[in-house]
Amino acid sequence: LMVTAKAERIDPNAGEVKELFGDIYESKKDYEQAIASYKRAMEVDSNNPRIMSSLAVAYLKTNRNEPARELLASVVLLQPDNGEAYKHLGYCHLRLGEVDGALECYGSAVDIDPNDWDAQRGLGVACVLKGKHKNGTVDEEWKTKAIEHWNRSLDIRPNQPSRERLLKLIKHYSK
């Protein structure tokens, strides 16, 4: 933080310095400080998709899904080929119970980068939720799609976090 403090004294209006502070705070899991720093960076550079994305991710980590969704929606308008933003927006939609939005965004992320294991995994979750009936069963077509995406995710990154949990889901929905 000492280097960024010196940089801020040299040019206190540099959005990059404020963004760097946000990155440092986020790496330390101090999300409130990260959010404050990213907001200050946006005051200087309000249409910077990188800053908007960083702020949105910090919001997601503090369960502030609505402002995260708004920022990420702006990012994908500014950068329609930003697969990371689509993936985070898909996650945001899932957290808000907006399954169709999650399907659309995860689908866009996978279209942009078919090798994004995390987007494939998220798309599988969205498929199961889309196919879920009121009685708790899941439509066969949606189950099949979910399993395909989950298997693709495991093909891309076999040792991914929560691998065992994903394998249990595949086994459960393969019955």
Side-chain angles (χ1 to χ4, degrees), residues 4 10 35 116 121 145-146:
T4 53
I10 294 169
I35 288 168
D116 184 334
R121 185 171 72 182
K145 288 180 183 182

Side-chain angles (χ1 to χ4, degrees), residues 10-162:
I10 294 169
D11 186 358
N13 295 318
E16 296 88 8
V17 174
K18 295 172 186 339
E19 181 183 5
L20 182 58
F21 269 118
D23 293 345
I24 291 168
Y25 286 124
E26 187 159 354
S27 73
K28 294 175 177 270
K29 299 188 183 329
D30 186 346
Y31 301 117
E32 294 305 323
Q33 286 296 323
I35 288 168
S37 294
Y38 291 136
K39 281 182 170 180
R40 287 192 296 275
M42 284 192 59
E43 289 171 5
V44 176
D45 194 0
S46 63
N47 283 326
N48 184 321
R50 191 180 63 243
I51 297 169
M52 295 164 77
S53 291
S54 296
L55 178 57
V57 169
Y59 278 146
L60 280 173
K61 289 181 179 175
T62 58
N63 294 315
R64 297 178 202 167
N65 302 308
E66 296 281 347
R69 180 181 55 188
E70 290 172 24
L71 283 166
L72 291 164
S74 296
V75 172
V76 298
L77 286 174
L78 293 168
Q79 294 181 325
D81 291 335
N82 187 331
E84 280 293 307
Y86 274 111
K87 178 173 61 179
H88 289 301
L89 187 53
Y91 181 63
C92 214
H93 282 297
L94 277 183
R95 289 178 101 177
L96 292 166
E98 300 164 349
V99 176
D100 290 334
L103 279 169
E104 183 180 334
C105 291
Y106 279 126
S108 294
V110 167
D111 288 344
I112 292 165
D113 181 4
N115 292 316
D116 184 334
W117 66 272
D118 201 18
Q120 292 280 0
R121 185 171 72 182
L123 187 52
V125 171
C127 286
V128 164
L129 293 174
K130 178 66 177 177
K132 204 161 223 172
H133 298 291
K134 290 181 182 175
N135 66 4
T137 62
V138 178
D139 179 85
E140 289 300 317
E141 182 181 344
W142 286 107
K143 263 201 279 193
T144 301
K145 288 180 183 182
I147 292 166
E148 287 172 5
H149 289 293
W150 290 335
N151 281 323
R152 178 74 180 118
S153 177
L154 287 167
D155 288 344
I156 297 165
R157 187 166 176 197
N159 294 319
Q160 60 184 261
S162 303

